[in-house]
Amino acid sequence: VVSTVEVWTTSSAARELDALLSDDERVRALAMRGEAHSARYVAAHALLRSLLAERTNIPPARIRIERRSCVRCGGPHGKPFCADDPSITFSLSHSGDMAAVAVASSLEVGLDIEDTSRKRGVARLAAKTLSDRERLFFEASGSEDACFFRLWTRKEAVLKATGAGITRRLSGVSIPPDESTVNFEGVWTLTDLSLPGRYVGTLAVEGSGAAVRQREWTP
Ligand SMILES: CC(C)(COP(=O)(O)OP(=O)(O)OC[C@H]1O[C@@H](n2cnc3c(N)ncnc32)[C@H](O)[C@@H]1OP(=O)(O)O)[C@@H](O)C(=O)NCCC(=O)NCCS
């Protein structure tokens, strides 16, 4: 049986979506500075909760999403998981006005999307975050912004899949720029997603052989 990973994206800013959130998430959304920032947070969590609701038959706002322990300090702010059914695996990312969620079953997943129009400081960021091998690849591209964001989302997707997140010096982590199977604290299959407009994204899935389906969510 082939496992399937679904990747859902949305740019909805519908205010009614906050009815799908937990009380804590609603408070967090209200406290955010900037309407756009808050709207994409609401959309991301509404999307995640409606995907989990379909799979658990629990109303979206009542699903318990908890955090694993942080790999660095053990504190309660590691990778999120569904406490009602931990076999449902997911990863959430938001950038610009897009929100995206990858969801699977019993396979760790990591998703990162980036709005490439946030161009300020790319050269500095590249110098600070790329490994030697990644930097050579970036320079060979003519130091293209698009190339940097591709390398960045590949690295972040893997770090989010492992649950580590950004807890170490990023230049010390090297993800092969042009291979679909990478070995980093386990074997991961990377899929460079094709997203609309100015967005770049990468999905990391545990092991190999899973099918990836990409869909747009219209609430
Ligand atoms: C996870 C992380 C890489 C995401 O960075 P980002 O590009 O700014 O944001 P994205 O939109 O792609 O992802 C954010 C989502 O990742 C998820 N996430 C958070 N921590 C995660 C982790 N350790 N592993 C996987 N996913 C994680 C959450 O769902 C979060 O969404 P939310 O904040 O709306 O709930 C970054 O926030 C991070 O590294 N956090 C951990 C920092 C940390 O723990 N430091 C050590 C403290 S001791």
Side-chain angles (χ1 to χ4, degrees), residues 7 12-13 17 19 31 43 45 64 72 83 100 111 115 135-136 153 175-176 189 201:
V7 177
S12 172
L17 288 179
H45 289 267
R64 291 176 301 136
R72 180 155 163 198
L111 175 68
D115 176 353
R135 192 170 313 118
L136 286 175
T153 61
I175 299 301
T189 299

Side-chain angles (χ1 to χ4, degrees), residues 28 41 45 67 70 72-73 77-80 92-94 111-112 114 156 159-160 163-167:
R28 192 170 159 195
Y41 174 88
H45 289 267
R67 309 288 292 250
C70 169
R72 180 155 163 198
C73 73
H77 48 257
K79 189 175 184 177
L92 174 156
S93 185
H94 29 53
L111 175 68
D112 187 52
E114 293 293 334
E156 233 191 276
L159 291 172
K160 289 176 78 176
I166 303 175
T167 44

